[in-house]
Amino acid sequence: MNRRRFTAFLTIGLAAALFPRAAFAEDHLAEAITHTQQAIETGKQGQADALVTHAEAALTHANAAEKEKANPHIKQGITHLNAAIAEGKKKDAAAATKHAEEALTHLQAAQK
């Protein structure tokens, strides 16, 4: 039994050493894009509150992506997400949706 445990721990340790941490990390940029798309969909339906919820989630992931790897497109996406949130809180779904669409354009450009 001790030999099995030793082998199991050795295997786990070796796997952790060989696989880069990025393989286990969450893809924040992809998550930001997904939430931004959801914000746009709800904004087009006139649901400003739901747009804000998705835009805030997108912003969280965009900020994390920016910390992982700085990119001017992510920065612009963050700027537009902040604007979308501000407009959505004013219940202006149309203006918020336009900012979310701009954010999506920049976030997708950062992905390339």
Side-chain angles (χ1 to χ4, degrees):
M1 187 72 134
N2 286 337
R3 190 174 199 178
R4 283 186 186 168
R5 279 190 190 169
F6 176 76
T7 304
F9 286 126
L10 183 62
T11 303
I12 291 169
L14 187 59
L18 293 178
F19 290 108
R21 289 185 188 256
F24 299 108
E26 186 174 1
D27 187 355
H28 289 291
L29 185 55
E31 286 293 320
I33 289 170
T34 299
H35 282 289
T36 303
Q37 290 169 332
Q38 292 169 338
I40 292 167
E41 287 174 27
T42 56
K44 286 181 178 179
Q45 296 169 2
Q47 300 174 6
D49 292 336
L51 181 145
V52 169
T53 300
H54 287 296
E56 287 174 338
L59 181 61
T60 299
H61 285 289
N63 281 324
E66 176 68 16
K67 285 181 183 176
E68 287 175 359
K69 184 177 181 189
N71 183 306
H73 283 294
I74 296 174
K75 256 188 179 167
Q76 283 298 311
I78 290 169
T79 299
H80 284 287
L81 285 170
N82 280 319
I85 292 166
E87 294 297 331
K89 286 182 177 180
K90 293 184 214 172
K91 306 295 184 201
D92 189 349
T97 301
K98 286 182 183 183
H99 280 293
E101 289 171 337
E102 277 296 316
L104 180 61
T105 300
H106 286 289
L107 294 173
Q108 288 174 332
Q111 201 173 34
K112 295 177 183 176

